[in-house]
Amino acid sequence: MTKDESVSSQVTEVLIVGAGPVGAALAGDLGQRGIRCTVVEATDGMVRDPRLHAVNIRTMELARRWGLVDALRNCGWPAEHLQDVVYATKIGGYEVGRLAWPPISSMAPPPQSPVFAQRCPQNWFNPILHEFAKARPCVDLRFLHRLVSFVQTDDSVTALIDDLEKGTQYSVKARFMVACDGGRSFIRKALGVQREKQGPIGFAADGVFRSPVLAKRNGRQEAGRYTIITPQGMSFSLLPMDGKELYRMMLYVEPTKATADRVLEAIRYSIGEDVPFDMVGDVLHWVPRVTMAEQFRVGRVFIAGDAAHTMPTAGGFGMNTGILDAADLGWKLAAVLRGWGGLKLLESYHAERKPAAQRTSTMASSIYKQFHVMGDEIRGYGALTLESSPEGAKARQEIGGKLTSFFRREFNAIGGALGYKYEGSPICIPDGSEPPEDSMVEYVQTSRPGHRAPHAWLREGLSTLDLFGDGFTMIHSGGEIGPCAALQESASRRNMPLRVASCSDEQVRDLYPRNFTLIRPDGHVAWRGDTFEQTPDAVLNIVTGRDPTNQAY
């Protein structure tokens, strides 16, 4: 980049490019840690095509730390609206199968967490995250500001930015830059980072429409999602977007790129020719496939969210995986910028988050591919799916059993959301124990290094998870507390935040069976043991990524 002398210069600690869910979450997390960051977003920030609506249980745990649970619970989705997943021949037609999912007002956290998942379409979710970020005095969120180019040196990244409203340019010099600029990431391409791509899983399209009449008509079949079964198979779903009058029609296994007329045809087939509706915005197209950046970091530039990985929409894994990128990166950047984190802390971002993204993308793909498999099976029944005969009823019962048996894991994926682990991380100290079985549905809590630290209620309203976030936390659950003093002294010399929480509760001891368990700011276990076989200094050097001979990065 050639810098013109007329271009004004600004300085920040972290420059974030993109203010979607990942960029906004990262900005808010850094802001809570007192890190100065500038966020530039080329659009006006309005979401006109809300594809996302599922905020999973792990993202809600982060929302609890960020103070956003109430905002999400009151986002606009009606608390009494059923969220069941219905498989039917059309709205008001034969119901083939149903997966029960109670309304928000009737939901309660599972034993493994202090929270539960939330329905919040992206047009509501993004503004909540934007307000979260803007509420931090050290965060500067700028819409209609577009990255033009950037260069990085050994100690900084300098970016040229277009102010699209004023028609002017300026430069921003930052210690680090994070690419949250989507699947077509300009930054990833400029860095020369290639993507690993799997073959496409069909073609997909969606369109949002408004129909106040439909909500009144489908009362007896009220649900959170309708998947329409036809003699031709299973290829489209209808999702209520606001629980009132907005709906999203999604075609997900089209053999070729769907036309706008094809989307209109699917809507009319699903709701009936006599139900009036109006399209809202344009029909969007995409190719369901897994893509993965070969590297999540180049020097002082990090790649996160869709810029780093994309995956099929099944299970709502995509956006939630990106939010976890932000949670992982936020504390690490803050630690390095405040001087107590070392170079290996930055290296660990790729080492931890790429395998985690590969795991969830594999889960999402397995669900999405099953759409094709089930479509083939349904086509085998032919016109029986619509017959009122005993044979037709039997066919629908058989189809419904297969659908609900397989797809319940898409809508009850607590294992998928909470069971990821940072195996082999350079900043976690393994203890030789075996991990629990990795399941999309089932989830067994464990305090094994690399895993999300277990939830237990310490008293009403206070979870063990509430102890984590600002810095490291030592859970002392047995034996003498004395050895913690040396660890606290070592942390103090580094200006590293560390708290010690002594918990004698039996449930806590069951979940934290070693005397000492060291938890990272992102809530993952860094180390555990009954004694300190290594010195406290040695333990902290590893978990903070700092070689004793390294200088600050």
Side-chain angles (χ1 to χ4, degrees):
M1 179 183 74
T2 302
K3 181 185 170 187
D4 189 290
E5 289 185 359
S6 64
V7 175
S8 61
S9 299
Q10 301 173 18
V11 177
T12 191
E13 290 183 294
V14 180
L15 173 63
I16 301 170
V17 181
V22 179
L26 176 58
D29 187 84
L30 287 169
Q32 277 197 336
R33 301 179 192 282
I35 300 300
R36 288 182 296 114
C37 56
T38 299
V39 188
V40 294
E41 166 60 50
T43 73
D44 61 5
M46 298 293 292
V47 177
R48 296 172 177 84
D49 52 348
R51 294 185 183 180
L52 312 173
H53 69 278
V55 181
N56 75 16
I57 191 168
R58 181 56 179 154
T59 298
M60 288 302 294
E61 289 180 349
L62 297 172
R64 181 180 175 96
R65 181 197 307 166
W66 293 332
L68 300 179
V69 169
D70 287 346
L72 288 166
R73 296 288 183 232
N74 298 300
C75 65
W77 178 259
E80 302 299 329
H81 195 293
L82 283 179
Q83 301 183 91
D84 293 4
V85 179
V86 169
Y87 300 91
T89 55
K90 60 175 55 181
I91 303 297
Y94 291 113
E95 187 169 303
V96 178
R98 179 182 287 256
L99 294 171
W101 193 329
I104 295 295
S105 61
S106 300
M107 290 185 72
Q112 303 98 322
S113 180
V115 295
F116 54 86
Q118 173 70 36
R119 193 183 192 96
C120 183
Q122 193 176 356
N123 55 320
W124 296 338
F125 188 49
N126 280 26
I128 289 172
L129 290 176
H130 290 159
E131 290 304 313
F132 167 54
K134 289 191 292 186
R136 307 303 178 251
C138 51
V139 175
D140 188 353
L141 180 54
R142 304 173 182 179
F143 296 110
L144 296 172
H145 287 245
R146 178 174 60 88
L147 174 71
V148 176
S149 60
F150 66 93
V151 293
Q152 64 171 316
T153 64
D154 288 343
D155 62 2
S156 65
V157 180
T158 302
L160 183 65
I161 309 295
D162 268 345
D163 183 329
L164 300 177
E165 284 190 297
K166 294 181 179 178
T168 58
Q169 289 188 335
Y170 60 94
S171 70
V172 176
K173 185 177 182 180
R175 293 279 301 281
F176 300 100
M177 183 169 77
V178 185
C180 302
D181 54 343
R184 299 176 180 175
S185 173
F186 164 76
I187 295 173
R188 186 192 64 240
K189 294 174 183 175
L191 291 169
V193 174
Q194 301 299 310
R195 286 195 297 176
E196 305 152 2
K197 292 184 179 181
Q198 294 182 10
I201 313 172
F203 294 85
D206 70 36
V208 176
F209 67 94
R210 179 179 285 107
S211 179
V213 174
L214 181 57
K216 298 175 183 177
R217 179 168 177 160
N218 68 3
R220 71 181 179 85
Q221 274 191 340
E222 183 181 83
R225 176 173 178 156
Y226 308 88
T227 295
I228 307 303
I229 307 303
T230 76
Q232 288 74 44
M234 177 181 68
S235 63
F236 45 88
S237 288
L238 191 68
L239 282 79
M241 295 303 294
D242 63 355
K244 298 173 184 176
E245 61 180 23
L246 283 179
Y247 298 84
R248 174 183 167 215
M249 169 56 71
M250 184 174 72
L251 284 66
Y252 39 74
V253 287
E254 295 293 295
T256 59
K257 184 176 179 179
T259 63
D261 285 344
R262 168 66 177 144
V263 175
L264 293 173
E265 175 191 333
I267 294 172
R268 292 192 182 100
Y269 185 96
S270 301
I271 69 177
E273 294 283 347
D274 60 330
V275 178
F277 67 92
D278 296 304
M279 294 301 294
V280 179
D282 298 326
V283 171
L284 301 175
H285 302 88
W286 76 98
V287 178
R289 71 193 310 167
V290 173
T291 68
M292 196 73 56
E294 291 182 346
Q295 295 293 326
F296 283 21
R297 172 196 173 217
V298 177
R300 291 180 172 271
V301 182
F302 298 83
I303 307 172
D306 283 356
H309 45 74
T310 63
M311 60 195 72
T313 55
F317 286 116
M319 180 275 291
N320 292 283
T321 299
I323 295 290
L324 294 178
D325 294 344
D328 185 85
L329 195 51
W331 77 270
K332 292 175 180 177
L333 288 174
V336 172
L337 287 165
R338 291 299 173 258
W340 56 267
L343 179 59
K344 287 187 178 179
L345 207 57
L346 302 181
E347 294 173 353
S348 72
Y349 171 68
H350 171 87
E352 293 183 346
R353 290 308 303 157
K354 184 170 182 178
Q358 288 171 325
R359 171 183 177 270
T360 50
S361 65
T362 298
M363 290 180 173
S365 293
S366 71
I367 296 170
Y368 215 93
K369 289 174 182 176
Q370 193 67 16
F371 292 144
H372 290 273
V373 174
M374 287 304 306
D376 290 341
E377 290 201 26
I378 292 168
R379 280 190 290 275
Y381 288 91
L384 277 176
T385 56
L386 300 179
E387 285 189 8
S388 59
S389 64
E391 292 80 11
K394 180 182 178 183
R396 288 188 291 274
Q397 183 179 28
E398 290 176 0
I399 292 168
K402 293 176 181 178
L403 288 170
T404 54
S405 175
F406 180 84
F407 286 107
R408 69 175 62 254
R409 65 180 186 158
E410 178 181 5
F411 304 102
N412 188 29
I414 184 173
L418 300 180
Y420 65 104
K421 56 186 180 295
Y422 296 144
E423 200 78 20
S425 168
I427 59 168
C428 293
I429 303 173
D431 65 355
S433 60
E434 290 295 319
E437 182 181 353
D438 191 8
S439 163
M440 189 185 301
V441 178
E442 303 300 328
Y443 175 61
V444 177
Q445 297 201 92
T446 175
S447 60
R448 181 175 177 268
H451 291 252
R452 162 196 169 274
H455 152 74
W457 291 113
L458 299 175
R459 61 172 185 270
E460 185 176 355
L462 182 66
S463 163
T464 48
L465 271 58
D466 299 329
L467 304 178
F468 317 142
D470 295 338
F472 275 76
T473 302
M474 175 65 85
I475 297 287
H476 166 241
S477 59
E480 295 295 325
I481 196 172
C484 291
L487 190 76
Q488 287 177 301
E489 182 182 347
S490 177
S492 180
R493 289 197 304 270
R494 304 159 186 260
N495 292 318
M496 169 189 166
L498 170 70
R499 69 185 298 181
V500 174
S502 190
C503 305
S504 57
D505 182 270
E506 283 187 19
Q507 185 188 9
V508 174
R509 180 64 181 182
D510 287 343
L511 292 168
Y512 294 84
R514 305 295 174 85
N515 291 341
F516 307 104
T517 307
L518 186 62
I519 317 297
R520 308 180 339 178
D522 62 348
H524 280 256
V525 177
W527 169 87
R528 68 177 180 174
D530 288 323
T531 60
F532 283 88
E533 295 181 1
Q534 296 173 287
T535 66
D537 275 343
V539 169
L540 294 188
N541 282 340
I542 294 171
V543 301
T544 63
R546 177 173 287 283
D547 185 311
T549 62
N550 280 352
Q551 299 299 313
Y553 185 68

